[in-house]
């Protein structure tokens, strides 16, 4: 079965993330390893790191996933800013390894072009993907022997973000070329926002993922319902069962035997009290008989065809 948890707070210390995970009934844990909205942070205290690892082991929660800072953009065309992001990512990778995390999850980044016509320009997007892959490969080269995997999260397609389509995610994996140290997180809301119709074409979405990325590279999920329509390219998460993806999709996903052993982390908007209910709800769907299919709230939702690279 899929292990389920949420993105827990490290306020007051890393050990508090473990306590929050246990309090909401989670058996998988995601967190930041530093303030996600600041570039710099004081060095990681190794005693704190050991205390965190011990707390994780005692609580028997995991795998632990660290989510990288929102500031990092290794696709930036400005060489100085790209290097700043690479160094920040390297620092977070070193912290994640010290904390014993299984995964460091990262957003691919953005090409950042001011030209609105370049948003979906293939050459512009490929150049950003190549910068991202080169930076990631450099970080891997500097950290030989690390056990923590670097895991790409598919983007929702807002603005000049790249890594929206399975093809773009697969491009980064192939360009880095070190798949034994890499992986992929599927964000259910982001993929829906990019036009992958989980509700009416569940099997077809998996076929396209297999062809472009490969299930062997899938490590985890961000489990989020969506406030926005399929193909809207807007990143707006909703509580499980309350959005346009709907409860029946999550019933299908949680009972997909091909996903046994994967981890799913909630990033839904209401916080710990809601997460406790949502985790219980997801578990109640396991092997439960399907009820009447929840009707789509937006049957005419637009579909977006992603350009293949």
């Amino acid at each position: 079965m899929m292990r389920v948890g949420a993105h827990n707070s490290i306020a007051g210390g890393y050990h508090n993330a473990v306590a929050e995970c246990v309090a909401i009934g989670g058996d998988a844990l995601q967190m930041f390893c530093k303030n996600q909205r600041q570039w710099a942070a004081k060095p990681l205290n190794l005693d704190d790191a050991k205390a965190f690892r011990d707390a994780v082991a005692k609580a028997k929660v995991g795998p632990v996933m660290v989510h990288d800072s929102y500031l990092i953009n290794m696709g930036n065309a400005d060489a100085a800013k790209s290097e700043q992001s690479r160094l920040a990512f390297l620092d977070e990778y070193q912290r994640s390894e010290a904390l014993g995390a299984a995964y460091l999850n990262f957003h691919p980044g953005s090409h950042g072009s001011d030209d609105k016509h370049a948003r979906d320009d293939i050459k512009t997007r490929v150049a950003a993907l190549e910068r991202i892959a080169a930076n990631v490969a450099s970080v891997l080269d500097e950290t030989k022997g690390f056990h923590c995997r670097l895991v790409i999260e598919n983007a929702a397609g807002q603005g000049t973000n790249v890594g929206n389509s399975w093809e773009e995610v697969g491009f980064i994996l192939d360009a880095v070329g070190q798949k034994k140290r890499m992986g992929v997180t599927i964000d259910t809301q982001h993929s829906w926002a990019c036009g992958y119709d989980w509700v009416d074409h569940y099997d077809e979405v998996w076929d396209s993922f297999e062809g472009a990325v490969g299930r062997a590279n899938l490590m985890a999920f961000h489990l989020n319902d969506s406030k926005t329509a399929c193909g809207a390219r807007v990143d707006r998460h909703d509580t499980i069962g309350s959005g346009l993806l709907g409860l029946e999709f999550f019933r299908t996903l949680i009972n997909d035997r091909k996903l046994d052993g994967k981890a799913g982390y909630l990033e839904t908007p209401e916080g710990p009290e809601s997460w406790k209910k949502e985790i219980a709800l997801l578990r109640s769907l396991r092997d439960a008989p399907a009820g009447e299919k929840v009707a789509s709230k937006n049957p005419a939702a637009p579909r977006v065809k992603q350009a293949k690279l």
Side-chain angles (χ1 to χ4, degrees), residues 26-293:
D27 54 10
L29 185 160
Q30 179 177 274
M31 64 182 192
F32 294 117
C33 65
K34 53 180 278 296
N35 188 315
Q36 75 276 18
R37 299 191 184 277
Q38 294 181 4
W39 286 106
K42 64 181 180 180
L44 178 66
N45 182 296
L46 295 183
D47 289 336
D48 290 344
K50 183 180 185 304
F52 173 75
R53 296 195 304 270
D54 290 346
V56 167
K58 182 177 181 180
K60 298 181 179 179
V61 297
V64 173
M65 174 178 276
V66 171
H67 196 300
D68 79 333
S69 167
Y70 297 139
L71 299 175
I72 292 172
N73 177 17
M74 291 185 286
N76 200 310
D78 182 294
K81 292 179 179 178
S82 179
E83 177 63 4
Q84 181 184 33
S85 286
R86 189 192 72 84
L87 290 174
F89 188 64
L90 173 61
D91 175 64
E92 295 208 9
Y93 192 25
Q94 292 165 335
R95 292 170 185 268
S96 299
E97 180 75 8
L99 289 164
Y103 310 123
L104 171 57
N105 179 87
F106 67 99
H107 293 169
S110 168
H111 63 70
S113 174
D114 292 331
D115 180 0
K116 65 179 181 181
H117 300 295
R119 181 189 191 194
D120 292 324
D121 177 71
I122 294 297
K123 289 183 179 179
T124 302
R125 297 183 72 83
V126 168
L129 295 169
E130 288 175 339
R131 289 190 293 270
I132 293 163
N135 282 322
V136 171
S138 173
V139 167
L140 289 173
D141 288 343
E142 292 186 46
T143 54
K144 295 185 185 302
F146 276 29
H147 298 288
C148 180
R149 282 181 180 252
L150 300 180
V151 182
I152 307 165
E153 176 185 351
N154 61 301
Q158 291 192 160
T160 59
N161 286 348
V162 296
N164 307 343
S165 67
W166 302 149
E167 286 79 14
E168 291 187 342
V169 171
F171 183 98
I172 297 171
L173 279 177
D174 291 339
V176 173
Q178 300 188 49
K179 291 185 179 178
K180 289 184 178 180
R181 297 183 62 190
M182 297 283 292
V184 172
T185 297
I186 291 178
D187 186 303
T188 53
Q189 194 278 330
H190 292 180
S191 48
W192 169 260
C194 281
Y196 292 106
D197 185 357
W198 293 106
V199 174
D200 294 325
H201 299 284
Y202 182 85
D203 291 334
E204 291 91 330
V205 172
W206 278 120
D207 288 344
S208 65
F209 181 85
E210 177 63 34
V213 178
R215 279 182 182 252
N217 297 306
L218 176 65
M219 300 294 121
F221 290 87
H222 286 160
L223 300 175
N224 302 304
D225 213 323
S226 180
K227 292 182 182 292
T228 58
C230 183
R233 293 179 70 167
V234 177
D235 185 355
R236 294 290 183 274
H237 299 183
D238 205 350
T239 303
I240 300 296
S242 297
L244 296 175
L245 274 162
L247 199 58
E248 288 305 320
F249 159 68
F250 287 100
R251 185 196 305 274
T252 300
L253 189 76
I254 210 75
N255 284 296
D256 189 334
R257 307 306 301 192
K258 293 180 180 179
L259 304 178
D260 284 359
K262 304 300 181 186
Y265 307 92
L266 294 168
E267 296 178 325
T268 51
E270 299 301 323
E273 285 305 311
S274 178
W275 296 337
K276 185 174 184 178
K277 296 174 184 176
E278 291 172 75
I279 288 170
L281 173 61
L282 287 167
R283 290 193 177 127
S284 75
L285 298 176
R286 290 175 174 168
D287 298 320
E292 183 177 343
K293 185 176 177 64

Side-chain angles (χ1 to χ4, degrees), residues 9-23:
S9 173
I10 61 169
Y14 295 114
H15 61 283
N16 285 340
V18 180
E20 183 177 272
C21 178
V22 172

